[in-house]
């Protein structure tokens, strides 16, 4: 199962159901909120990462490499 863009991914998966279907799915959350406002003191799962805006494209690329097996 492979998707090359957002719309094709959504056709393959249905939002939160994705994690129950694909246990090793890697997720990058991108938000304009401060990190502690989004997750507080909680820890994200090892296969998840969070990137706050604004960010440079090289930072985005690195975060994707970091979570990609």
């Amino acid at each position: 199962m492979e998707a090359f863009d957002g719309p094709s991914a959504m056709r393959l998966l249905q939002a939160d159901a994705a994690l129950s279907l694909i246990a090793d799915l890697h997720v990058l959350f991108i938000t304009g909120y401060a990190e502690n406002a989004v997750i507080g003191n909680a820890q994200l799962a090892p296969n998840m990462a969070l990137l706050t805006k604004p960010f440079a494209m090289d930072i985005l690329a690195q975060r994707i490499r970091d979570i990609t097996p």
Side-chain angles (χ1 to χ4, degrees):
M1 190 178 341
E2 192 168 334
F4 297 97
D5 59 20
S8 64
M10 291 309 295
R11 284 191 295 273
L12 293 173
L13 306 170
Q14 295 298 314
D16 293 335
L19 288 171
S20 65
L21 294 172
I22 305 170
D24 65 344
L25 180 68
H26 290 76
V27 178
L28 176 60
F29 297 102
I30 298 176
T31 182
Y33 292 101
E35 184 172 344
N36 63 351
V38 177
I39 62 171
N41 293 328
Q43 291 283 109
L44 291 174
N47 61 327
M48 296 181 182
L50 177 70
L51 184 59
T52 57
K53 297 175 187 177
F55 53 83
M57 293 308 290
D58 61 325
I59 300 297
L60 173 61
Q62 183 60 53
R63 292 306 294 265
I64 292 170
R65 285 190 294 272
D66 291 345
I67 66 168
T68 304

